[in-house]
Structures are given as C-alpha cells and as structure tokens.
Amino acid sequence: SQRRCTRASGRTMEVLSPYCPSYAPFFGFMGAALALVFGNMGAAYGTWKSAVGLATIANLPSKNVQTEMVMKSIMPVILSGVCGIFGLIIAVIISSSMEGGANKYSLFSGYAHLGAGLTVGLSNLATGLALGMAGEIGVQDSARQPKLYIGMVLIWSFGSALGLYGLIVALIIAVKPGTELCGCLINDATGLIECNN
C-alpha cells in the first residue's frame, strides 16, 4: 500500500491509518482537560469545607482554643490543594506526549490518555470530597478536644491516599505507547490492514 496518493489536482494527500484518524487527538485533549478540571474541583471543595471548619473555631471560647491547634488545623487545606497538583501532573504528561499531523497520534493513545485523565481526575475529586467533609468536622472537634487530633490526621491521610492511587494508575496508563499503530494501512488490493513496522 502507498502512504501517499495523488488527487486529480496533482497535489499529494497523506493516507491515514485506520488506527490514527484525524479525530484521535480529541480524546487526548479531553483526558488532559478532565484531569485538571476534576482535580481542581476536588481541591476547591476540600479547601472550602476545611476552611469553613477552621473559621468556625472563632465561635469557641478563646480559653478552650490552643494557638498551635489553629496552625495544625490547616493540614486538610494543604492536603486538598494536592488534588489539583496531581491533576496538573497528568495533564502536563498527556499534553506533552501529543503530536499533531497525519499518522502521528493513534486512537489507542487517545483512549489511554482519556482513561488516565478520568482516573486521576475522578480519584482526586473523591479525595477532595472526603477531605472536605472530614476536614470541616475534624477541625472543629479537634479544637474542642485536642486528643482527637491524631485520629483526625490518620483519617485525612487515608482520605488523601485515594488521590495518590489515582495518580499512580494514571501514570501507568498515560505512558502506554501506541504510535506504532500509525504504520498500519489498508492494502487497496486485498482490503486487509498491513503493518509496516
């Protein structure tokens, strides 16, 4: 099969592999976008709810609130911010591995990048929801009873681990190579797909 064919106008046209259509990059771009959007949604929700819990400490009598407890209560806010960072990491990896042009980006890569983006995005959205709910109540209760703080830290740590699991799986999915499929073309004589590599 030929990689180039000639139109009636005399211009040559690139023959596209059936595995590398022109719309394949759409899935990769969606994966990068969804990784960042869902990760930032989780970070925003977790930060908001945890900050609300931190702000309600002001309603407690000042003699019952320890100064260092206020600083310790910022921990769920910090852990929530990490959700957005995980989404950013995968979005950068996906976008840097994308290539424009004919027969450069396969559907395999597009689907892998979409799956990676959804994996890290939804995992960190779940993390943000968990940290937001546990952070709001945990900050308030640990300010009233400082002995609860160690238990709250363990809950926040296991909640934030969900986002890390999503990042690890997304990294494995996002680096799967699929560009060799772009060397597979349809043989006009037999109608079969032949791969040159």
Side-chain angles (χ1 to χ4, degrees):
S1 64
Q2 298 294 321
R3 278 193 169 272
R4 295 182 180 277
C5 62
T6 305
R7 291 181 178 175
S9 60
R11 291 184 298 174
T12 59
M13 178 180 69
E14 186 78 19
V15 176
L16 293 178
S17 167
Y19 300 118
C20 300
S22 57
Y23 59 84
F26 168 79
F27 299 105
F29 286 123
M30 284 301 295
L34 292 175
L36 192 59
V37 167
F38 283 137
N40 284 338
M41 285 172 63
Y45 183 84
T47 302
W48 166 55
K49 294 291 281 183
S50 300
V52 167
L54 185 61
T56 56
I57 294 177
N59 294 331
L60 298 175
S62 58
K63 61 179 181 176
N64 295 345
V65 180
Q66 301 173 3
T67 306
E68 64 271 11
M69 188 54 69
V70 175
M71 295 308 296
K72 288 179 179 178
S73 297
I74 297 178
M75 187 175 178
V77 176
I78 296 169
L79 292 174
S80 296
V82 174
C83 296
I85 296 172
F86 288 166
L88 176 66
I89 290 170
I90 294 298
V92 169
I93 289 174
I94 291 173
S95 60
S96 64
S97 64
M98 294 184 68
E99 249 184 291
N103 288 336
K104 296 285 187 181
Y105 191 78
S106 68
L107 276 175
F108 178 90
S109 298
Y111 293 150
H113 290 160
L114 178 62
L118 285 172
T119 299
V120 73
L122 293 176
S123 295
N124 283 286
L125 178 60
T127 296
L129 294 173
L131 287 173
M133 298 303 289
E136 181 183 17
I137 303 301
V139 164
Q140 295 173 10
D141 291 345
S142 59
R144 291 188 187 97
Q145 177 52 264
K147 292 179 181 177
L148 291 174
Y149 183 73
I150 300 300
M152 289 296 109
V153 169
L154 288 173
I155 292 170
W156 297 333
S157 300
F158 285 112
S160 65
L162 302 175
L164 183 61
Y165 302 153
L167 174 68
I168 293 169
V169 173
L171 283 171
I172 294 170
I173 296 173
V175 297
K176 296 284 183 188
T179 53
E180 68 275 0
L181 292 172
C182 294
C184 299
L185 301 172
I186 298 175
N187 189 319
D188 293 332
T190 62
L192 300 175
I193 296 176
E194 295 179 353
C195 297
N196 297 329
N197 41 10

